[in-house]
Structure formats: C-alpha cells, structure tokens
Amino acid sequence: PKHNSKTLKLSKYLKSATLLPAPPAKSYWEYKSIPAKVWNMLANDSVGDCTAACVGHMIMMWLAHGGILITPTDAEILAFYSAVTGYNPADPSTDQGAAITDVLAKLQSDGITIGGKVHKILAWAQIDQTNQVEVEQANYIFGGLDIGFNVPQSALDQNQAGQSWDVVANDGGIVGGHSVPIFGYGSHGATCVTWGALQQMSWAFFKAYCDEVYVVITQDWLNQAGSLTPSGFDLAALTADLAAMK
C-alpha cells in the first residue's frame, strides 16, 4: 500500500452502528448486470496493468446497473495505465505496475476515457480490511471495492484449476501483488473479477493476503443506486471534506 494524503477513512462517514443497517447476508452485484463472458482481460494477460484493469471492470459494473453495457478496450485501459505510470508499449522495462492510490488519484483528477466519455470519481476511502462487517457494508452500499493483495503461487494454481482461492498449508510463496474489484460476497467469501473472469475467494484467503481495501465513490454509481445509500452514511460530511481538499 502507498499512502496518499487524499485517502479518506470510510469509518468517518458511517454515522453510527445503530443507524447503519447490518449488511445483507450476501450481495452479488456482479451477477445482476453483466454476462460472465463479457469481462475481458483488458490487457492484463500481457501487461502489469491490473490496477487499471480493475478500474475498467468497476466502471463496467457501475454503468451496467444503469442499463449501459460498455466494455473498455485494451487500448483505453493501456492509455490510462500509461498516463498514471509513464508506461511505454515500445519499452517493456517501463511496465512496473502501479500503486492503487496513484491510480485512484488520477481517476479523480483527470479520469479515464471509455467509449469517448471521460469518467471521473468523486473520492475514494480506505476500509479496515480486518473488519469484515465494514467490508460487506461498503461493498453493498457502493457496488464494489478495489482491493490489493499479495498473490501466493497457490492462488495461480487454484485459478488455473478453476478453484476458489483459499488458504493452503504450503502456498508456494508470494509471486507478486495484484489489484481486483470485489463485487459480491457471502458466508463463504467474496467474488472478484480477475484475468477476464469471475473468481471466488474465501474469507480466510482475504484475511491472510489482502493488505488494502478502498471504496470508490462515483456519480456513475450514485446515479443508479441513490436509494441504496442508508441514512447512516454521512454524505454531507463527505461533500464538505471533498470541498476542503480542493
């Protein structure tokens, strides 16, 4: 995780446990709007642009709930990745990945162009990844989460075998970092999108390997899901803080 001074804490805007309803036992935004075969790799099979691909998949999901099904192109995602990191397709050595907070800061300031339209976010807020209730509440209220985690070799093996990510006795060691969007959860774990497909992970896996979680606050979602925002979320305080940061 990379610190950014514009990173807010979601807990500040959750007014009271007595006001904020408990999250539902399960949520599955990913199944309500987008056919499973539409996600696409967004170039993450050849370039280390997972942080940008995550943004592309989140925008897909937000827009789909408003009846607009758009799949970003690899070129659009790579253009955004290049704008954040300086990646040059002609020079593979410039493909060094990106910090999630750098990507979210760029998304807030300049946005990403998809289908000829610039999409920006209002803000992002960090979630305590050790607090499963807060993770579930944020996922349900805002339609998804951007997470960063360490990838053990066992996760690659499980993915190739079509299995859920879970903790094993010998995980083969950490092979790198990864960023994915979580769109759903249930008693057994959460559902993310990675490498062009839906992928399940157990809560044990999430707790063992995830080291940063952000809720992304965007008008693309609020326009569709205003009635889903519980009275316990302090939108006025968030708006005031965003104005102060400007």
Side-chain angles (χ1 to χ4, degrees):
K2 180 181 178 180
H3 174 71
N4 185 295
S5 60
K6 289 188 176 183
T7 300
L8 306 172
K9 295 289 186 180
L10 183 67
S11 57
K12 176 181 178 180
Y13 308 100
L14 302 180
K15 294 181 180 178
S16 167
T18 60
L19 290 176
L20 192 65
K26 60 182 177 180
S27 179
Y28 40 90
W29 296 119
E30 73 280 6
Y31 290 113
K32 292 184 176 180
S33 56
I34 299 178
K37 295 182 179 179
V38 178
W39 291 108
N40 294 351
M41 283 281 195
L42 301 183
N44 197 210
D45 52 343
S46 58
V47 179
D49 66 341
C50 62
T51 50
C54 176
V55 165
H57 287 139
M58 295 187 85
I59 291 174
M60 284 178 65
M61 199 281 303
W62 293 327
L63 295 179
H65 277 267
I68 304 171
L69 185 57
I70 293 180
T71 300
T73 65
D74 288 0
E76 289 169 335
I77 297 302
L78 289 176
F80 177 68
Y81 179 57
S82 294
V84 175
T85 67
Y87 167 64
N88 179 358
D91 182 1
S93 69
T94 60
D95 180 18
Q96 298 294 321
I100 294 176
T101 50
D102 287 345
V103 167
L104 295 178
K106 189 69 171 178
L107 196 59
Q108 182 185 41
S109 62
D110 299 329
I112 180 175
T113 300
I114 295 177
K117 180 181 178 181
V118 177
H119 295 269
K120 293 185 177 183
I121 61 173
L122 299 175
W124 72 92
Q126 190 167 20
I127 297 169
D128 177 5
Q129 73 269 15
T130 67
N131 186 334
Q132 186 176 325
V133 172
E134 187 173 310
V135 170
E136 292 176 352
Q137 283 174 328
N139 183 90
Y140 177 65
I141 295 170
F142 294 102
L145 303 172
D146 187 341
I147 78 166
F149 65 101
N150 295 302
V151 183
Q153 178 61 46
S154 58
L156 299 182
D157 298 338
Q158 289 164 345
N159 176 268
Q160 288 295 313
Q163 300 170 348
S164 174
W165 285 336
D166 206 350
V167 175
V168 297
N170 180 6
D171 66 9
I174 301 301
V175 297
H178 199 28
S179 171
V180 299
I182 285 180
F183 292 138
Y185 65 84
S187 60
H188 297 293
T191 304
C192 72
V193 175
T194 186
W195 304 313
L198 297 175
Q199 172 69 43
Q200 310 294 322
M201 71 178 76
S202 70
W203 284 121
F205 180 92
F206 179 93
K207 292 173 182 177
Y209 298 106
C210 180
D211 57 8
E212 54 184 327
V213 181
Y214 305 94
V215 59
V216 183
I217 304 165
T218 168
Q219 205 65 46
D220 281 338
W221 178 253
L222 296 180
N223 285 344
Q224 313 303 333
S227 62
L228 290 174
T229 303
S231 60
F233 182 76
D234 197 339
L235 188 58
L238 173 64
T239 302
D241 283 350
L242 293 178
M245 283 195 294
K246 292 180 179 179

